[in-house]
Amino acid sequence: MNQVERGIVKGSIWLLSLRMLMRGLGVTSTLFLVRVLTPEDFGLNAIAMSIFALVDLFSRFGFDTVLIQKQNSDANDYNTAWTLNVFFGFFSFILIIIMSPYVAIFYENKNIRYILIATAFLFLINSFSNIGVVNFRKELTFQKEFILQLVPKVVSFISTIILAIYLRNYWALIVGSLIWKSSIVLLSYIMSSYRPKFSFSKIKELFSFSKWLFFNNIIQFLNTKSPELLIGKILTPSAVGLFSISTEISNMATSELVSSVNRASYPGYSIVAKDIERLKELYRGVLGSIAIWVLPAGIGLASISEIFVSCFFGHKWLGMENVIIYLALASMLFALNSNSGYIFLATAKPQVTTFISLSRVLVFIPLFIFGANHYGVDGAAKAVLCASVFVFIIYSIVLCNYLSISFADYFSVFFKPFLSSFVMALMLRIFVNYEFNMPDYLYLIVLVFCGALVYITIDIFLWSILGSKIGPEKKVIDFISKKFKKA
């Protein structure tokens, strides 16, 4: 394992630990809040956050991504990036204030106006974040990134819970977000000694790359945030809340796990970008590590969604279990694709990701509108799954051609974890359909334990009989062996 691979592995461990802790806090918070607040509260917050994301498109040019990709960035690059962030932050703040009354009229809900006014302050706060913290990722010092993200999340978690108990409405979610962003900005200046200054000297260089990231942001919004806006208009705020929480739970099992690996792998890809063979080898190793976690997580959640909803959600959330099935599988496919985009970013071809994402929008939006109009939230979730299948196929074809990987070699990465997950799912469905005389919480624990045991057993068995000498299984076994030898 070379230095770049070690950096990615170490970074992945730090960021995976961070993501798991943050998702643990997020899930704990969500499972508490769904008992205190209503689907309508979550729906109003989701609509406001989607409007926030829409306006944010005009201020997110991905300058941090440019600084990571550009290995010889200097102080002028950093200062210009920070200055532009501040400028766009003020622009977005004013724009959302102007939009707020018209959005409230569109959704026929006056509360949305006041929520948006409060949300606008997120732009002002976030724009002043210290650009120097980009170096935490660029230099693969992910332990600092760990602290920077975790501490504000803990502060926000505690604040939101206290506010929810006291206020009993959506303002707990809004104020909690403001506290979270404020904590990140404050900590960014404590942890990084870099002090940005106003500068416009490198605008041309930054925009020459980031214009494609801007288009990617627009398309990403249409792919990820437009569902809440569309459901809010086609159906009701309560339907938005149900869809939004289902999406959060589904992403928790798949996309959230892999995001830490993506953040760690991108700097590594950028370092070896000019050596296609090393890039190909590095990518296959990362993809194998993603598949071994994501496939059982997505398929497993879809298999036990009824018991999961029964355990953690009350009668206000009826019908959520079917939505989770479709969204968990869709999120699984998205997670498998997500790392591929970083290959094109690292090799300075972000337009490839833009065009693929655009193709998804063209398929997704009409399907989603049709599904939501005719079949409600279930139809909307099915549309998300169909679009994810389409993009998975497109990404596979393009990436295999770009890196000169055969389809057999590419899909062999998924063979063991997919077959193991399939066997696990069959076992789980048999247990779910059989009535056991035990509390739902205990039943869920048993299902998760048995599912994990079956998956690990089948995967290791396939790995051993196929004579594999490499792969994530070997890395895990070698890691455990070293620990036992030291002990």
Side-chain angles (χ1 to χ4, degrees):
M1 188 182 295
N2 59 42
Q3 185 176 356
V4 175
E5 289 177 321
R6 282 196 298 270
I8 291 177
V9 170
K10 185 177 180 181
S12 296
I13 292 172
W14 272 107
L15 292 179
L16 181 58
S17 301
L18 169 64
R19 186 61 60 177
M20 292 179 70
L21 284 170
M22 291 185 69
R23 290 314 302 161
L25 290 172
V27 170
T28 303
S29 175
T30 299
L31 295 179
F32 173 82
L33 293 172
V34 295
R35 298 288 183 175
V36 178
L37 306 179
T38 66
E40 183 176 4
D41 290 324
F42 282 98
L44 291 172
N45 180 68
I47 291 172
M49 289 299 107
S50 295
I51 298 295
F52 170 86
L54 174 61
V55 176
D56 196 34
L57 291 175
F58 301 99
S59 61
R60 289 187 61 191
F61 284 84
F63 296 128
D64 57 338
T65 303
V66 180
L67 294 174
I68 292 174
Q69 194 274 338
K70 186 179 179 182
Q71 293 295 303
N72 59 343
S73 302
D74 57 24
N76 288 326
D77 290 298
Y78 283 79
N79 290 335
T80 303
W82 180 80
T83 302
L84 291 172
N85 285 338
V86 173
F87 173 80
F88 285 122
F90 273 96
F91 170 79
S92 301
F93 171 78
I94 295 170
L95 181 60
I96 206 167
I97 294 293
I98 295 172
M99 288 175 58
S100 60
Y102 303 102
V103 175
I105 293 172
F106 180 78
Y107 285 104
E108 300 176 355
N109 192 310
K110 65 179 181 180
N111 293 324
I112 291 178
R113 178 182 182 181
Y114 306 113
I115 295 172
L116 284 176
I117 292 173
T119 302
F121 285 93
L122 289 172
F123 290 110
L124 286 182
I125 296 168
N126 196 49
S127 67
F128 284 97
S129 184
N130 189 352
I131 195 69
V133 299
V134 169
N135 286 334
F136 297 168
R137 281 178 284 155
K138 187 170 184 176
E139 297 169 1
L140 303 180
T141 53
F142 292 102
Q143 61 271 26
K144 293 182 179 179
E145 180 82 2
F146 180 95
I147 297 171
L148 178 65
Q149 297 297 328
L150 182 61
V151 172
K153 189 67 176 180
V154 172
V155 173
S156 174
F157 167 77
I158 296 172
S159 302
T160 304
I161 294 296
I162 294 172
L163 287 166
I165 294 172
Y166 178 72
L167 298 175
R168 298 274 172 170
N169 60 34
Y170 50 80
W171 282 113
L173 302 172
I174 304 300
V175 178
S177 296
L178 291 168
I179 293 173
W180 176 41
K181 289 296 184 181
S182 300
S183 301
I184 290 176
V185 173
L186 177 62
L187 195 57
S188 71
Y189 285 93
I190 294 174
M191 293 188 63
S192 174
S193 60
Y194 187 82
R195 292 296 177 261
K197 301 176 182 179
F198 285 99
S199 172
F200 292 97
S201 61
K202 291 296 186 76
I203 287 181
K204 184 178 179 179
E205 290 86 344
L206 291 177
F207 274 107
S208 65
F209 185 90
S210 63
K211 64 185 177 183
W212 289 106
L213 299 181
F214 174 70
F215 292 133
N216 278 338
N217 286 337
I218 294 176
I219 296 170
Q220 184 181 18
F221 170 84
L222 294 173
N223 278 320
T224 59
K225 292 298 182 182
S226 63
E228 282 89 350
L229 297 178
L230 292 171
I231 292 177
K233 185 61 178 176
I234 296 171
L235 301 174
T236 64
S238 293
V240 177
L242 193 149
F243 185 89
S244 176
I245 294 299
S246 297
T247 301
E248 182 179 345
I249 296 298
S250 301
N251 289 342
M252 171 197 70
T254 52
S255 300
E256 291 291 347
L257 287 174
V258 77
S259 62
S260 56
V261 178
N262 291 338
R263 287 170 68 87
S265 62
Y266 174 53
Y269 290 160
S270 297
I271 292 171
V272 302
K274 295 182 180 180
D275 188 336
I276 292 297
E277 289 303 316
R278 286 185 67 192
L279 183 63
K280 183 194 306 185
E281 181 183 353
L282 195 59
Y283 172 71
R284 288 190 78 256
V286 171
L287 186 61
S289 300
I290 290 173
I292 203 172
W293 290 100
V294 164
L295 285 168
I299 294 174
L301 178 59
S303 300
I304 62 171
S305 63
E306 300 100 318
I307 303 299
F308 186 89
V309 173
S310 175
C311 282
F312 296 113
F313 297 83
H315 66 278
K316 296 179 292 187
W317 301 87
L318 290 177
M320 187 177 180
E321 59 275 5
N322 292 328
V323 179
I324 286 180
I325 292 174
Y326 303 124
L327 293 182
L329 296 176
S331 183
M332 176 188 74
L333 293 174
F334 174 81
L336 292 174
N337 279 335
S338 60
N339 191 260
S340 304
Y342 289 91
I343 291 289
F344 300 116
L345 287 178
T347 54
K349 294 188 179 296
Q351 64 269 30
V352 177
T353 302
T354 302
F355 290 132
I356 294 176
S357 298
L358 179 60
S359 69
R360 182 187 188 274
V361 170
L362 297 176
V363 171
F364 171 63
I365 297 296
L367 273 177
F368 191 88
I369 294 174
F370 176 84
N373 266 312
H374 291 82
Y375 304 102
V377 182
D378 278 11
K382 289 177 182 178
V384 175
L385 177 57
C386 290
S388 295
V389 171
F390 170 76
V391 173
F392 178 77
I393 295 171
I394 297 298
Y395 249 124
S396 300
I397 294 172
V398 172
L399 195 73
C400 286
N401 181 66
Y402 185 70
L403 293 179
S404 299
I405 302 174
S406 68
F407 288 115
D409 192 29
Y410 180 76
F411 286 104
S412 67
V413 175
F414 305 121
F415 175 72
K416 295 191 297 293
F418 174 76
L419 186 57
S420 303
S421 300
F422 181 75
V423 174
M424 175 194 71
L426 290 178
M427 182 275 296
L428 289 173
R429 292 309 303 170
I430 291 172
F431 281 2
V432 166
N433 293 326
Y434 187 86
E435 294 186 6
F436 289 91
N437 187 23
M438 65 174 69
D440 284 345
Y441 291 97
L442 180 59
Y443 191 20
L444 180 63
I445 293 172
V446 171
L447 286 175
V448 171
F449 177 79
C450 291
L453 183 62
V454 169
Y455 171 77
I456 293 171
T457 302
I458 298 297
D459 187 72
I460 295 298
F461 173 73
L462 291 172
W463 176 76
S464 61
I465 65 171
L466 292 175
S468 298
K469 302 298 181 183
I470 58 175
E473 295 91 351
K474 179 173 175 54
K475 292 178 181 179
V476 172
I477 291 173
D478 288 346
F479 177 79
I480 294 174
S481 298
K482 289 179 181 179
K483 292 296 181 182
F484 273 109
K485 288 179 181 177
K486 288 181 179 180

